[in-house]
Amino acid sequence: MKAIRLILVGPPGCGKGTQAKRIEDKFKIIQLSTGDMLRKAVAEGTPAGVKAKAIMEAGQLVPDDLIISMVGDRIAQPDCQAGFILDGFPRTLAQAQALDRSLKARGLRIDAVIEIRVPDEDLVERITGRFTCAQCGQGYHDRFQKPAREGICDKCGGSQFTRRADDNAETVRTRLKAYHEMTESIIPHYERQDILRVVDGRQGIDQVSEAVSAVVAAL
Ligand code: AP5
Ligand code: MG
């Protein structure tokens, strides 16, 4: 199968992580979530994690140089040679340009950028209701995506769940502001490259998955 390189873009809570995991399972393309990488670095207390912790808890963007080198190192690894889904990166025009340069230097390019479009007013409920299996990382929602058996992860049977430090109504507003001020400007960048595809993220999770899968299957 040919290597597919995708970007998922959209505001906090639009469903990037949910859909990236589904594409990973269905098309066997690895998910690279910069938020997950940073949370791991914070938990392990690495130098990058120490730098990022307070910035993430405040809902702001971590510095471009930190994130660009983190992603650059990751996508150079052998398991990314068969393709990848970037979830949460790039988030600034400088990050998008750095990614273009680093791929171009190796004769590679992004195949598609999928924008998951959801209005701001729907996002606070999605984010404040989110929880995750502590064992396997499967995402859930208090209302929209409950485990089949309460308290037990559908995927791995785990019974411990976590909620993110930045998933509160106040921080969500800062994250939304960062999205509109810093991240939205990458969309015309990819529109100009003719690789932007827009999916209506207000639909249910399965409907969004169908639309996203149709884009990937057509590549
Ligand atoms: P990150 O972890 O990427 O957070 P985010 O962009 O704010 O996005 P989320 O993970 O909150 O949402 P999502 O779109 O993945 O939604 P999900 O699928 O979980 O980044 C965190 C922080 O790290 C940033 O604030 C920043 O500080 C830093 N950072 C990361 N990358 C960076 C970068 N490149 N540059 C600088 N800083 C960076 O869904 C949300 C909930 O809704 C779930 O509970 C889910 O079950 C539910 N749901 C999903 N889809 C639907 C649907 N269709 N209908 C109903 N419910 C749904
Ligand atoms: Mg996410």
Side-chain angles (χ1 to χ4, degrees):
M1 212 181 107
K2 80 164 196 159
I4 292 178
R5 297 178 190 82
L6 288 177
I7 293 173
L8 294 187
V9 65
C14 71
K16 300 180 295 295
T18 303
Q19 297 302 331
K21 285 218 182 315
R22 289 187 172 208
I23 306 170
E24 184 175 65
D25 289 345
K26 188 166 176 185
F27 295 93
K28 308 294 169 219
I29 312 172
I30 201 167
Q31 173 200 14
L32 304 181
S33 156
T34 44
D36 289 348
M37 289 181 205
L38 289 167
R39 279 184 286 280
K40 186 164 177 270
V42 170
E44 290 171 351
T46 66
V50 169
K51 226 174 171 181
K53 187 172 188 286
I55 301 173
M56 292 175 74
E57 281 175 6
Q60 280 151 2
L61 296 185
V62 306
D64 283 340
D65 54 348
L66 185 158
I67 204 92
I68 288 168
S69 73
M70 192 176 84
V71 174
D73 291 347
R74 185 66 190 88
I75 62 179
Q77 284 171 23
D79 61 343
C80 291
Q81 304 319 302
F84 50 75
I85 310 155
L86 287 167
D87 156 11
F89 178 92
R91 252 175 158 99
T92 62
L93 203 49
Q95 292 178 19
Q97 288 162 342
L99 177 67
D100 284 353
R101 279 195 300 274
S102 111
L103 290 175
K104 199 172 171 197
R106 283 180 286 145
L108 305 173
R109 56 190 287 276
I110 294 294
D111 297 292
V113 177
I114 303 178
E115 179 194 353
I116 305 178
R117 204 173 276 178
V118 180
D120 285 7
E121 57 268 27
D122 293 2
L123 297 169
V124 176
E125 186 183 11
R126 286 205 193 175
I127 287 178
T128 52
R130 170 170 53 192
F131 61 100
T132 304
C133 173
Q135 194 164 292
C136 74
Q138 174 64 31
Y140 293 100
H141 192 279
D142 292 327
R143 198 171 138 213
F144 304 125
Q145 197 188 3
K146 296 181 185 173
R149 282 173 57 209
E150 203 187 324
I152 309 286
C153 175
D154 296 343
K155 212 168 179 181
C156 76
S159 57
Q160 303 283 343
F161 296 90
T162 57
R163 288 183 192 257
R164 276 170 43 180
D166 59 346
D167 276 353
N168 54 74
E170 195 190 318
T171 307
V172 171
R173 274 183 263 286
T174 313
R175 285 158 61 193
L176 279 170
K177 194 162 174 270
Y179 180 75
H180 293 303
E181 287 178 3
M182 308 296 293
T183 307
E184 244 169 9
S185 62
I186 70 169
I187 291 172
H189 174 77
Y190 292 115
E191 210 166 14
R192 282 193 292 275
Q193 296 183 17
D194 204 19
I195 54 173
L196 181 74
R197 303 288 177 268
V198 181
V199 164
D200 180 359
R202 290 170 306 180
Q203 310 171 89
I205 295 176
D206 290 341
Q207 285 75 29
V208 177
S209 282
E210 276 173 34
V212 169
S213 289
V215 172
V216 180
L219 292 172

